[in-house]
Amino acid sequence: MKKIFTILLLAGIFKQSFAQSSKPASTANPPALTLIKEADIKKDIFELAGDAFRGRRAGTLDEMRSAVWVAQKAMEAGLKPAGDDGTYFQFYNIKRTITGGNGTFSINNKNLQLWKQVWPTQPVETHLNGAVMWLNSMADTTKDLTGKIVAVKIVAPAPLPVSWMSLWGLRYTSLAVRQQTLALRRKGVAAIILVADQQTEASLGFVGHNYQEGLYQLEGTPASNVKPIPVIVTLGSFANDFQQANATAKADFRVEVSMYPSANVVAKAAGTDADLKNEYVLFSGHHDHDGVGVPVDRDSIWNGADDNASVTVGMLAIARAWSAKPGKRSALFVWHGAEERGLLGSRWYAAHPTVKKEDIVAVLNGDMIGRNAPDSAALLGTTSHKNSTQLVDMAMKANQQQTHFKVDFSWDDAKHPENWYFRSDHLPYAQAGIPAIFFTTLLHADYHTPKDEPSRIDIAKLTKMAKWMYATGWLVSQTPQKPMLEKTP
């Protein structure tokens, strides 16, 4: 009798255990939240954003090394390859157009040193040799300027960029150059020489490096219908040379075009539901940054720890959790390349997805999730740029239940001067008609400087942000109906 009782008891325990294990996972409580660990995230970010990866600039071997590193970590996390040809990679070509390094420029037969005293602002075949007409101001346009080489001092743009905006010197210079170029083009000038004012000159280390790096585009990007003209910036100390009687300028700049490979890393975790596993929750981030650039305090490596190693390693943590406890829908992880060169990786994947586009039910993108106040975060795609109320509601429900951030929605306002919504990898997906939101902890003083290093990351906050993204993805995965699309930005 005792033996029979024991058998029945064990059978009951087995039945209860089986019932519990086969019971559908709770929609509200993501089952593997504890697998997203600070120790793992800290180890990964100090490795990826360390100096050994040299800032992971797109179009360099450093970016390729980072892509291989991410793919290796994705495999170790249990994800399966979802890139091209059964691999973890989706390669595409970047067309880079630069001004050749052997270009020359002189004023009154005085040679100026390229990239130190004179900067072509864009790659344009330039062969100038003629008189220079000095303009005392932008209002000094009463004379016929058609076909002339004109020189004028850079004037402050109107209106000025908001004082607290990121990369203020770059914005000041770029806006001033654009405004003056447009005004002078309308006068039919042949070439424009802009003499730096004090603010521009203080920014030329950073701005000039961008001019030197040239233009990055996806292969096959249509050429502009607007024929470019030479626009050249010089140091302010040459103003007197351009104002001399019978001043002349001579320039010979040639354009060089190269193709560089870049790579998205694409991996997946299969869902558990027979029908829903054919649909995907897409976690999105970028693994590249700015590479080796202008030194700041003798540091020339722009590590990009927050931007965007933070999300890269956060997604790896989510991958480990998802692989251990899959959702009903499948999870797709896309670590994009070349985001810093113009969202090139996400533009490529949105146009060439490795799964059916209509099977991507939502995009959860992150960019910079490891800095600022511990209890603050922001969510974009929520107000002015919202394309799915249901997706936003899921994100807010996940925050309410799990992470309890004070969420800032103001950066999603169409009038916000940073235009932050348009500067990360969710955008091409939203434009392609896929529900998308953007998790971030916003900008800080180290943004796009060599000081964006792992030691400055709030690991606890980064871990918490990864949990928020994971919990949101879990809700999307478990909800029978897809988040409804309302509009395309």
Side-chain angles (χ1 to χ4, degrees):
M1 185 73 179
K2 184 176 179 181
K3 184 176 180 181
I4 295 173
F5 178 79
T6 302
I7 293 172
L8 291 173
L9 179 64
L10 289 172
I13 292 172
F14 175 78
K15 183 178 180 182
Q16 182 181 16
S17 174
F18 179 81
Q20 288 176 344
S21 64
S22 59
K23 184 179 179 180
S26 169
T27 299
N29 297 304
L33 207 63
T34 57
L35 296 183
I36 298 177
K37 300 176 181 178
E38 290 185 24
D40 294 336
I41 285 175
K42 182 176 182 179
K43 178 179 181 296
D44 285 347
I45 199 167
F46 270 83
E47 189 170 339
L48 180 62
D51 286 353
F53 278 97
R54 292 167 47 84
R56 315 180 304 281
R57 189 177 184 89
T60 69
L61 287 175
D62 302 317
E63 187 199 31
M64 285 296 156
R65 290 172 58 239
S66 76
V68 171
W69 183 90
V70 171
Q72 176 70 29
K73 292 291 185 179
M75 182 176 67
E76 292 172 2
L79 299 184
K80 302 302 181 183
D84 291 335
D85 303 317
T87 74
Y88 288 94
F89 304 102
Q90 183 188 50
F91 293 102
Y92 52 93
N93 281 334
I94 300 174
K95 177 183 176 182
R96 184 182 177 195
T97 308
I98 65 170
T99 302
N102 59 350
T104 60
F105 182 91
S106 63
I107 174 69
N108 304 331
N109 295 318
K110 179 192 295 184
N111 293 326
L112 276 62
Q113 192 170 356
L114 182 62
W115 309 128
K116 292 187 177 180
Q117 296 175 311
V118 61
W119 293 263
T121 62
Q122 55 184 327
V124 178
E125 285 285 339
T126 303
H127 309 288
L128 302 175
N129 187 6
V132 175
M133 180 179 291
W134 175 260
L135 304 179
N136 291 312
S137 72
M138 287 301 292
D140 187 13
T141 56
T142 56
K143 299 175 184 178
D144 182 10
L145 302 182
T146 305
K148 299 292 195 300
I149 303 171
V150 299
V152 64
K153 197 172 186 67
I154 288 179
V155 296
L160 285 169
V162 178
S163 61
W164 48 262
M165 284 181 69
S166 62
L167 308 177
W168 195 88
L170 170 65
R171 300 183 190 283
Y172 174 99
T173 301
S174 298
L175 186 56
V177 169
R178 187 181 312 124
Q179 289 179 354
Q180 290 179 257
T181 297
L182 289 173
L184 292 169
R185 277 188 66 99
R186 287 194 288 266
K187 296 292 182 178
V189 302
I192 302 168
I193 301 169
L194 297 171
V195 181
D197 65 352
Q198 185 175 2
Q199 178 57 56
T200 297
E201 195 151 313
S203 306
L204 275 174
F206 182 77
V207 178
H209 181 70
N210 284 359
Y211 292 153
Q212 184 176 358
E213 286 295 315
L215 178 66
Y216 293 80
Q217 298 170 298
L218 286 173
E219 184 179 16
T221 300
S224 172
N225 293 326
V226 179
K227 183 179 179 181
I229 63 172
V231 179
I232 300 163
V233 172
T234 75
L235 293 177
S237 57
F238 296 108
N240 291 334
D241 296 278
F242 291 110
Q243 296 177 61
Q244 291 180 16
N246 302 316
T248 60
K250 186 175 182 179
D252 187 7
F253 297 129
R254 299 184 182 275
V255 171
E256 297 178 1
V257 179
S258 303
M259 292 293 180
Y260 291 82
S262 184
N264 295 326
V265 180
V266 191
K268 64 183 178 182
T272 59
D273 185 272
D275 296 320
L276 294 181
K277 70 179 182 180
N278 296 316
E279 298 176 349
Y280 296 88
V281 183
L282 192 156
F283 292 94
S284 160
H286 69 91
H287 63 85
D288 68 304
H289 191 57
D290 274 352
V292 179
V294 179
V296 176
D297 296 333
R298 295 183 293 180
D299 185 356
S300 62
I301 297 177
W302 299 53
N303 301 74
D306 198 24
D307 186 14
N308 194 27
S310 63
V311 174
T312 300
V313 303
M315 286 171 59
L316 288 172
I318 294 169
R320 287 186 282 267
W322 208 282
S323 295
K325 297 287 185 179
K328 290 182 178 180
R329 286 188 172 91
S330 296
L332 187 66
F333 295 80
V334 186
W335 290 271
H336 304 97
E339 189 268 359
E340 300 291 2
R341 309 280 70 81
L343 313 184
L344 300 187
S346 53
R347 293 189 192 282
W348 184 263
Y349 192 86
H352 306 88
T354 57
V355 300
K356 292 180 181 179
K357 175 192 148 186
E358 56 269 26
D359 291 338
I360 302 173
V361 302
V363 172
L364 310 183
N365 179 63
D367 206 337
M368 302 177 61
I369 60 170
R371 294 286 297 268
N372 297 321
D375 60 349
S376 71
L379 190 66
L380 282 75
T382 53
T383 56
S384 295
H385 306 108
K386 180 168 62 178
N387 73 349
S388 175
T389 298
Q390 291 176 348
L391 181 57
V392 172
D393 288 347
M394 290 183 198
M396 293 310 298
K397 182 178 181 180
N399 181 58
Q400 181 183 21
Q401 292 176 337
Q402 307 296 340
T403 47
H404 312 294
F405 283 111
K406 297 175 184 177
V407 182
D408 184 345
F409 302 105
S410 65
W411 285 57
D412 197 46
D413 193 307
K415 296 180 181 178
H416 196 287
E418 287 281 0
N419 280 324
W420 192 226
Y421 179 84
F422 295 94
R423 292 163 55 187
S424 194
D425 283 319
H426 60 283
L427 181 64
Y429 297 101
Q431 291 173 331
I434 301 171
I437 48 177
F438 171 20
F439 297 81
T440 179
T441 55
L442 300 173
L443 303 178
H444 46 77
D446 298 333
Y447 172 63
H448 279 260
T449 76
K451 295 182 179 180
D452 183 9
E453 296 187 323
S455 60
R456 296 173 181 247
I457 295 294
D458 182 339
I459 300 296
K461 181 174 185 177
L462 168 50
T463 306
K464 191 175 172 184
M465 286 294 294
K467 289 181 178 180
W468 184 17
M469 291 180 67
Y470 163 66
T472 302
W474 182 260
L475 286 177
V476 177
S477 175
Q478 302 302 100
T479 303
Q481 298 300 318
K482 300 179 183 179
M484 185 179 298
L485 179 72
E486 294 165 18
K487 67 176 184 178
T488 300

